Amino acid sequence: MTPDAPVRAAIYARYSSDLQSAASITDQVRVCRSLCADRGWRVVEVFTDEAMSGASHLRPGFQTMQQAAMNGQFDIIVAEALDRLSRDQEHIAALHKRMSFLDVSVVTKAEGEINEMHIGLGGTMSALFLKQLAQKTHRGLEGRVRDGKSAGGISYGYRAVRALRTDGTVTTGEREIVENEAATVRRIFEGYAAGLPARALAAALNAEGICSPANGKNADTWGPSTISGNWKCRASTSLAATDNQIGRF
């Protein structure tokens, strides 16, 4: 950058999935553009991450922004607030250290130019927020389970039931059995108890054209992991999750 050239600014905006929407990105960018205009900075890049938690640094926009900074594409990062960049104290400290080495400043509408004090205090507050949010979320999920309602997704064999409350809100967590899918679940467990492997059960269901749980890739095809879960991703499929509720059939 030459002495007379305007400061090149990169805007970063992010929203998480909790009580926010894509409109939040537009609002954040608008606020940041206004700040840049007031200070005579020229916006050259806009990086965004939609519906992504600030607890993770593995965000496409966040990573691309850092790479662009290493390539010398801008002189300053502008965000609405420090917690938009990250809510993890370690990650925000690493970003500040990396940008300081590259001589790239970080400025937010809420805090101004970020320094070590902001990193320490702001990072601590964001970390506490995440911890409290997790505790409140778990408390809410436990309460739903204690009320006999579902606290997770919809397992194969069930459908969601929605009803309007007297206050105008819609009920959540209510489920009812889908009888034709329930019959398939019973058949699978009976076959498995008789010694049939998951692969053979899946092949039989595919041969009869019975639709599998809608899990995205190959949604209409049964596979061994559709029945027994996938240990590699440490997650069960829709049908495997039904194992915990099969007694309700």
Side-chain angles (χ1 to χ4, degrees):
M1 182 180 71
T2 61
D4 296 329
V7 172
R8 299 168 302 164
I11 293 174
Y12 179 80
R14 174 189 67 82
Y15 79 91
S16 56
S17 57
D18 54 323
L19 304 180
Q20 292 180 319
S21 67
S24 175
I25 291 286
T26 302
D27 293 338
Q28 290 177 51
V29 172
R30 174 176 48 79
V31 167
C32 292
R33 284 190 181 276
S34 177
L35 187 151
C36 292
D38 290 343
R39 302 197 181 187
W41 300 338
R42 180 168 60 94
V43 177
V44 295
E45 299 279 356
V46 175
F47 302 95
T48 63
D49 283 307
E50 301 185 6
M52 302 200 74
S53 171
S56 171
H57 68 290
L58 299 177
R59 291 170 264 141
F62 188 70
Q63 292 294 331
T64 303
M65 177 186 70
Q66 294 184 79
Q67 185 60 54
M70 294 175 65
N71 294 337
Q73 294 177 217
F74 50 81
D75 311 301
I76 192 166
I77 295 173
V78 180
E80 182 184 41
L82 189 61
D83 61 10
R84 295 302 88 199
L85 289 163
S86 179
R87 286 191 180 276
D88 185 281
Q89 190 170 17
E90 179 183 358
H91 298 159
I92 196 63
L95 174 68
H96 182 261
K97 183 177 182 179
R98 188 173 298 115
M99 294 304 105
S100 296
F101 176 78
L102 297 172
D103 199 25
V104 173
S105 301
V106 179
V107 174
T108 70
K109 175 68 174 179
E111 294 93 356
E113 184 166 358
I114 301 302
N115 55 36
E116 286 77 7
M117 182 184 71
H118 294 105
I119 298 302
L121 294 178
T124 299
M125 295 304 296
S126 291
L128 288 174
F129 170 83
L130 287 175
K131 183 176 181 179
Q132 292 171 356
L133 179 62
Q135 291 173 342
K136 291 176 181 178
T137 300
H138 291 158
R139 182 191 65 199
L141 293 175
E142 181 182 354
R144 293 178 69 175
V145 172
R146 289 182 179 276
D147 289 340
K149 299 181 179 180
S150 172
I154 301 177
S155 299
Y156 183 82
Y158 295 91
R159 69 166 62 94
V161 178
R162 298 282 187 261
L164 194 64
R165 299 190 182 97
T166 56
D167 61 359
T169 60
V170 179
T171 60
T172 59
E174 301 285 352
R175 301 287 185 267
E176 67 180 8
I177 295 172
V178 181
E179 289 300 334
N180 63 316
E181 293 181 357
T184 301
V185 173
R186 295 190 192 96
R187 172 183 171 181
I188 289 172
F189 275 88
E190 289 168 357
Y192 202 83
L196 292 176
R199 187 175 300 277
L201 291 168
L205 293 171
N206 287 329
E208 295 177 25
I210 297 175
C211 291
S212 69
N215 289 325
K217 184 179 180 181
N218 298 326
D220 295 326
T221 304
W222 291 87
S225 62
T226 315
I227 295 172
S228 58
N230 189 341
W231 65 269
K232 291 183 179 180
C233 61
R234 298 184 180 182
S236 296
T237 62
S238 296
L239 180 59
T242 308
D243 183 27
N244 295 325
Q245 309 173 62
I246 194 67
R248 294 179 56 188
F249 281 129

